[in-house]
Every structure is written in structure tokens, then in C-alpha cells.
């Protein structure tokens, strides 16, 4: 990014009468591409129109206070990027295998645009779905279902990879390894579709694989071992390609019911463990995944799966990894509970009471477009009014970046121009510079942690310029500058002392700049 772009003003002012805002919170939305649910809109095969549409969605999410997007880039053994393994998606160009015209790389474009706005990009992949609607989907001649038909099983009108087939597993792992190797994504994200959701009266047709590979296990244990196997392989491959890339799973809301296991939740429903053959707790305990995002698309007081019950259960079963709650904004207006305008706000409030819960993900993006029940406004003007940093993951990287240096401080019109540079002492890549102001004149440097964020510059260059507003009431008396690395670790404020303003009228600004002892002059 060119240095001149650093001259933009980015400022946030103190807002009263809003709920308490956490400094760290993951705030994301899913962007589903399968069947054109969220993006691109159905029939939109124009490159420039697709780009504009995606940017508009990002801008909407940014206005609402979100700091990440989870975009489906491999919905059905196809690709929203050029791939040596899989053809272009039919939902991108209308025909599987057809490249976009004019040509562009949607994944590279989407990652870049998200990062420009200070938002993380998590690449959402479906592991096993291969043909969305048998006989109706567009399938290219080089699609994996054509080149290796022996790897696939049909169930409920959809074609799936056989989870028990080791060659199929290794193929999926190679696809994900390729994405992590070539793109600057922040995480790989898998949803809840491992073994498909059961259809009443129909058995999943994996008898042949079970007889071949079952090795004396019960059918259920064997299926779970297959899912465990690919999760471990994926975890290993992702970290081999980029140890900073996170791996997250968004499972169905219920691991086990308490009636099945004393450790289960007080619910009465199908489960990950018994019907989807996904032992989420094993993956968390073993450290194979970095975050879990249970899809708690239920309201408070639901008779079989109450939101408050599941929230409490997941808070107690994340085993030190991050837990982001999947919230069902798509359910707005669907029944009496979801016609209650307070349903979603109360879910956010309840979630924030648990230190083990680090944020939320909303399904899905199109649900926000019509501002259901005014919930966009609730986020924008209340719950997400203040920006939040994405919580760091210390098991990946706990080393703080070096503090940035302030090299120039000058009054410009009614603002203070503060030029910041990356210190030469750090070899970490910096993704963001942050400017804080403190209202209290009687404090020591520990009060920085109560200071007000007034500007963020998401810029990977080695320097940045802030224009800090000088308010007439002169409440902004001291400024601090920090930086964030790519793993969301924030430096200490520069350089253990704040930039101080003396309230002495000397010109039309009504300000003069003081000098801190034993430091550089504020020129």
C-alpha cells in the first residue's frame, strides 16, 4: 500500500449511552456461495458486478461493526479461485469449469478487500459435498466425481466423498493445503457437514467401505474415526503450510444430550456425536482445532435446545480454545420468539457474560441486507458501536510486537498530525496501527488500558500518519500509539510515555505541545 494512503483520517469518538464494549471480540458473518445464497447474486456472472457486490457486503458488515468474514470458497468440490485440483464453481460463472470473464482470482480479490478494511478473511470449505443436486448440477468433465467415481456415495439426492476412503481424504487435504500455501487467509473454516444429516428411513451407503476398512470397530465408532482422521490430517497440513493460519470448525449446536452422556447438555435433539459422527470435544482437547463456532440457532427457552443452556455448556467445554457462537439472524420473524426484537440483543448480552466466549458469527450475510427487526442498527449504534480487536491465540503466537515509534508531531488546522513508523527492532509483520486518547490528566501509564481508541490504520507499510482531533473542551489530553501484528497481538504503547498536550492558549487552536522529559522533542 502506498504511503500516501496513510494520510487518510480515521477517527472514532466517545459515544455515550451504549452498552459496555469489549476491547477484544470476534465479530463475523458467513458469506455462503453455494446455490448463490449470499454472493454472488443468482445470475450475476459479470466480473465487475461481482466485485462491486462483494465490496458492498463488506462495507455493510464494516458499518455494523464486524471485524471478520467467513467466505465459502469451496462449496462443492469446486473452486472460487484457480485450482489445479478442482474446476471453477458453477455459482461463480454459471457453468462448472468456466473461468470468469474478464478473468480475475475471486479469492485473492476477496482477501485483499477484507484486509484493506481491517477485517479477517476465513476461507470456508465444505469437506465432503461433491455434487449438490445429482442430475441437476453443472459438472465438468474434469470434476473429481468423473475422474474418480469410486470415491463417491449418493445420499438424499446429493453426491458425497466417501469419508471412509483414505484416498479421498488425502485428496481433500491436498486441496486445503494448496489454499493455505497460496493465499493470505487468516483461517481455514469447516462447517457442520461431515457425514450428512440423516434422512429418516435411509441408511448412509458406506457398507462396502466399512467391510473393507472397519477393522473390528462398530459402525458408529468407525465413522467417527474417519472424521477424526481427516481433522487431524487437515490440522497438520494447515500448520505445515502456515503455522499462523488458524483452523476452525462450526458444528451443529449439540455434542451429546445428557441422557446419552453425563457430560452432555441438557437438551433433547440429534447430536454431532451420534448422528453426524463428529466428536468435537476430542478435537478441542487434542488441540487439533483453534476455535469452535457452535451453531446455536435456537431461542431462549426452546423446549428441546434452549439458547441459554447451550451457551453455558459450550462456555464450559471449549478447553482453552476460542469459542464463537453461531447466531441465527436468518430466523428473524419466523416464529413468535424470533419476532421479538430483543431476542438477538439478549443473546449478545448473555454471550458477553462468559469470559470463555470470545465472539459471534452470524448466518448469514443476506439476512442483514433488509435490516431485520432493526438488528443492523442495534449492532451499529449499540452493541458493536466501538471497534473490537480480534482476540489473539497465545498457543499460536504470544510474542508482542515492538512498540512503533513516533517521529513527528505537528498541529495541522484543528488536528494533531502524528507520524508513526515501525520500529527497526521488530521483524514481525504489522497489520494495524492504533491511536488512543486519555481524558484524565491525573494518571500514570497504566491508565493507557482505559484510554479511548480514536483511530485505527490497517496498513502493512512501515509508516502511518494519524490526524487526531483537538476538541474545544480539551478532554483529549494525552495520546498513545500501538501496533498489532498479524496474530492480533498488540504492542505496548510507545515508548512507555504518552504524547501529552498542555492546555495553554497560544494561537487560534488554543493548544501548545508540551515536551516529555528525557525524550525526543515534539516538533
Amino acid at each position: 500500500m502506498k504511503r500516501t494512503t496513510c494520510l487518510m483520517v480515521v477517527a472514532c469518538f466517545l459515544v455515550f449511552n451504549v452498552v459496555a464494549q469489549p476491547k477484544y471480540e470476534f465479530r463475523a458473518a458467513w458469506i455462503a456461495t453455494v446455490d448463490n445464497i449470499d454472493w454472488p447474486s443468482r445470475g450475476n456472472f459479470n466480473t465487475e458486478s461481482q466485485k462491486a457486490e462483494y465490496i458492498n457486503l463488506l462495507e455493510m458488515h464494516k458499518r455494523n461493526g464486524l471485524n471478520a468474514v467467513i467466505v465459502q470458497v469451496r462449496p462443492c468440490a469446486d473452486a472460487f479461485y484457480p485450482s489445479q485440483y478442482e474446476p471453477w464453481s458453477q455459482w461463480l460463472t454459471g457453468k462448472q469449469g468456466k473461468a470468469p470473464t474478464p478473468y480475475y482470482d475471486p479469492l485473492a480479490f476477496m482477501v485483499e478487500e477484507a484486509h484493506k478494511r481491517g477485517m479477517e478473511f476465513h476461507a470456508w470449505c465444505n469437506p465432503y459435498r461433491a455434487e449438490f443436486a445429482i442430475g441437476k448440477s453443472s459438472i465438468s468433465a474434469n470434476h473429481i466425481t468423473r475422474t474418480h467415481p469410486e470415491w463417491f456415495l449418493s445420499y438424499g439426492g446429493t453426491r458425497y466423498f466417501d469419508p471412509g476412503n483414505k484416498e479421498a481424504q488425502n485428496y481433500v487435504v491436498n486441496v486445503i493445503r494448496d489454499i493455505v500455501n497460496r493465499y493470505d487467509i487468516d483461517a481455514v473454516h469447516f462447517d457442520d457437514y461431515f457425514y450428512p444429516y440423516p434422512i429418516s428411513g435411509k441408511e448412509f451407503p458406506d457398507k462396502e467401505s466399512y467391510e473393507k476398512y472397519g477393522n473390528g470397530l462398530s459402525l458408529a465408532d468407525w465413522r467417527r474415526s474417519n472424521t477424526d482422521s481427516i481433522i487431524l490430517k487437515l490440522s497438520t497440513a494447515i500448520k505445515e503450510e502456515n503455522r499462523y493460519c488458524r483452523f476452525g470448525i462450526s458444528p451443529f449446536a449439540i455434542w451429546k444430550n445428557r441422557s446419552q452422556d453425563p457430560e452432555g447438555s441438557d437438551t433433547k435433539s440429534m447430536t454431532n456425536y451420534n448422528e453426524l459422527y463428529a466428536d468435537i470435544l476430542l478435537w478441542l482437547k487434542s488441540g487439533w482445532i483453534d476455535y469452535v463456532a457452535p451453531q446455536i440457532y435456537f431461542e431462549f427457552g426452546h423446549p428441546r435446545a434452549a439458547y441459554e443452556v447451550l451457551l453455558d455448556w459450550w462456555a464450559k467445554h471449549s478447553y482453552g480454545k476460542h469459542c464463537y457462537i453461531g447466531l441465527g439472524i436468518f430466523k428473524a420473524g419466523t416464529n413468535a420468539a424470533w419476532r421479538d426484537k430483543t431476542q438477538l440483543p439478549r443473546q449478545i448480552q448473555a454471550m458477553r457474560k462468559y469470559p470463555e466466549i470470545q465472539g459471534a458469527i452470524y448466518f448469514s450475510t443476506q439476512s442483514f441486507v433488509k435490516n431485520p427487526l432493526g438488528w443492523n442498527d442495534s449492532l451499529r449504534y449499540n452493541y458493536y458501536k466501538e471497534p473490537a480487536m480480534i482476540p489473539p491465540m497465545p498457543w499460536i503466537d504470544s510474542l508482542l510486537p515492538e512498540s512503533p515509534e513516533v517521529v513527528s508531531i505537528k498541529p495541522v488546522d484543528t488536528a494533531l498530525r502524528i507520524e508513526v513508523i515501525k520500529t527497526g527492532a521488530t521483524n514481525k509483520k504489522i497489520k494495524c496501527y492504533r491511536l488512543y486518547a486519555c481524558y484524565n490528566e491525573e494518571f500514570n501509564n497504566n491508565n493507557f488500558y482505559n484510554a479511548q481508541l480514536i483511530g485505527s490504520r490497517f496498513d502493512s507499510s512501515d509508516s502511518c500518519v494519524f490526524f487526531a482531533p483537538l476538541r474545544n473542551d480539551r478532554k483529549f489530553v494525552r495520546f498513545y500509539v500501538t501496533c498489532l501484528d498479524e496474530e492480533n497481538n498488540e504492542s505496548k504503547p510507545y515508548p512507555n510515555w504518552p504524547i501529552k498536550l498542555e492546555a495553554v492558549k497560544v494561537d487560534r487552536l488554543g493548544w501548545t505541545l508540551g515536551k516529555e522529559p528525557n525524550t525526543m522533542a515534539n516538533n
Side-chain angles (χ1 to χ4, degrees), residues 116-129:
K116 277 183 187 177
R117 291 161 177 80
M119 304 175 81
E120 285 199 346
F121 186 98
H122 293 211
W124 170 15
C125 301
N126 185 282
Y128 285 146
R129 187 170 55 212

Side-chain angles (χ1 to χ4, degrees), residues 8 13 29 51 62 87-88 96 112 117 120 123 139 154 177 195 204 212 239 245 266 269 302 315 322 413 447:
M8 298 172 60
F13 296 100
K51 289 181 177 181
K62 186 70 175 176
W88 290 99
Q96 192 176 84
E112 181 180 6
R117 291 161 177 80
E120 285 199 346
I139 301 296
S154 299
R177 183 187 288 274
Y195 279 83
F204 189 68
K212 185 175 181 180
K239 301 304 182 183
C245 183
D266 186 13
S269 174
H302 189 286
H322 283 189
D413 295 329
N447 289 86

